[in-house]
């Protein structure tokens, strides 16, 4: 157990809908990173937050947004969902070193 | 942006043999290179990492080497065991962003 929690574990929704994924970092970690893992694309970096501020953006679609709250938990919002958004979404937390630890992931299925 | 290439995509070895996975990166600003092991349906787990000021790091049967000049780094697993079977990912980072290789599916044959 990495100490990073993610909810929900599974999510099934229809195209065009909006969902919110939640991540709580390890105690003491200020960084939260979001990743998308599809079968054919490996782990894609989406966005990084540090202590409430956005630090870096990767291959994140405009339909996706994220934020980190004062208690350091983070939410990833996915809207206007398409079939191709079906994937595993991981968050990872990190402290003052570069190491990051992954949560168990949320499996999103868009039908 | 950073581009990380990883080879091979699949690797089968006999139990007890060594396995080597290689990665290259493009951005000279990258200074942290972790390796992750991911079992089917589970989270990636950090198994070893190396920073750009170090050329080699070892942890029991696992070692990582880094050649900054050539921009490549490698994972070496010795005395492989069936429980080493998994997908291994390399990554390169400058701290704020992490770029992953496409993964190597390692199978250790008993």
């Amino acid at each position: 157990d990495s100490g990073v929690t993610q909810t929900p574990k599974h999510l099934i929704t229809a195209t065009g809908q909006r969902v919110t994924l939640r991540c709580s970092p390890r105690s003491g970690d200020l960084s939260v990173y979001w990743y998308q893992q599809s079968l054919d694309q490996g782990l894609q970096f989406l966005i990084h937050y540090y202590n409430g501020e956005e630090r870096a953006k990767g291959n994140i679609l405009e339909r996706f947004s994220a934020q980190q709250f004062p208690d350091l938990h983070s939410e990833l919002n996915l809207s206007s969902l398409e079939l191709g958004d079906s994937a595993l979404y991981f968050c990872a937390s990190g402290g003052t070193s570069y190491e990051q630890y992954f949560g168990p992931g949320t499996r999103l299925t868009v039908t | 942006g950073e581009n990380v290439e990883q080879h091979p995509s699949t690797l089968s070895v006999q139990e007890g043999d060594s396995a080597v996975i290689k990665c290259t990166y493009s951005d000279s600003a990258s200074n942290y290179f972790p390796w992750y092991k991911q079992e089917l349906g589970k989270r990636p787990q950090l198994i070893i990492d190396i920073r750009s000021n170090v050329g080699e790091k070892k942890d029991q049967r696992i070692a990582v080497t880094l050649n900054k000049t050539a921009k490549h780094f490698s994972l070496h697993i010795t005395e492989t065991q069936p429980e080493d079977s998994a997908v291994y990912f390399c990554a390169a980072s400058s701290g704020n962003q992490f770029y992953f290789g496409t993964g190597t599916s390692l199978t250790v044959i008993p």
Side-chain angles (χ1 to χ4, degrees):
Chain A
D1 186 359
S2 65
V4 181
T5 60
Q6 285 187 251
T7 56
K9 195 170 182 179
H10 301 280
L11 198 49
I12 301 174
T13 189
T15 54
Q17 295 298 304
R18 182 179 188 274
V19 297
T20 297
L21 313 183
R22 182 186 169 108
C23 169
S24 291
R26 295 187 317 164
S27 176
D29 282 355
L30 300 180
S31 276
V32 171
Y33 305 80
W34 284 98
Y35 295 90
Q36 179 191 57
Q37 186 173 37
S38 306
L39 273 175
D40 58 347
Q41 290 204 1
L43 277 158
Q44 297 288 318
F45 167 72
L46 296 178
I47 198 163
H48 169 207
Y49 275 85
Y50 178 84
N51 201 20
E53 293 187 4
E54 181 185 304
R55 277 293 177 93
K57 265 187 178 178
N59 300 322
I60 188 166
L61 299 172
E62 286 192 10
R63 302 183 285 109
F64 296 0
S65 65
Q67 57 184 133
Q68 186 179 28
F69 295 87
D71 67 352
L72 301 176
H73 90 271
S74 178
E75 292 181 356
L76 179 67
N77 300 296
L78 314 176
S79 61
S80 302
L81 285 167
E82 303 174 359
L83 294 177
D85 297 327
S86 296
L88 259 174
Y89 290 84
F90 287 103
C91 76
S93 80
T96 52
S97 68
Y98 284 6
E99 295 165 9
Q100 56 176 326
Y101 297 90
F102 283 77
T106 293
R107 182 173 294 281
L108 173 66
T109 302
V110 182
T111 62
Chain B
E2 176 66 277
N3 181 41
V4 177
E5 293 190 359
Q6 183 172 346
H7 300 280
S9 56
T10 59
L11 180 60
S12 291
V13 299
Q14 292 288 333
E15 182 177 357
D17 287 351
S18 294
V20 180
I21 303 170
K22 299 183 179 183
C23 288
T24 60
Y25 63 100
S26 60
D27 189 351
S28 55
S30 292
N31 56 6
Y32 175 65
F33 306 91
W35 287 88
Y36 292 86
K37 175 183 180 182
Q38 187 177 28
E39 296 174 355
L40 193 62
K42 297 194 175 179
R43 76 188 82 193
Q45 289 190 295
L46 178 68
I47 56 171
I48 196 166
D49 56 11
I50 192 167
R51 297 181 191 275
S52 58
N53 59 347
V54 175
E56 186 173 356
K57 183 176 177 181
K58 191 173 180 180
D59 182 3
Q60 299 183 347
R61 296 185 297 109
I62 295 173
V64 57
T65 58
L66 171 65
N67 183 325
K68 271 185 65 177
T69 304
K71 294 195 183 74
H72 67 70
F73 55 114
S74 301
L75 177 71
H76 304 252
I77 306 174
T78 58
E79 301 171 23
T80 53
Q81 301 168 3
E83 51 265 38
D84 294 330
S85 296
V87 178
Y88 291 80
F89 291 96
C90 64
S93 175
S94 56
N96 283 326
Q97 303 187 58
F98 282 75
Y99 292 93
F100 282 75
T102 48
T104 296
S105 178
L106 173 65
T107 302
V108 179
I109 304 165

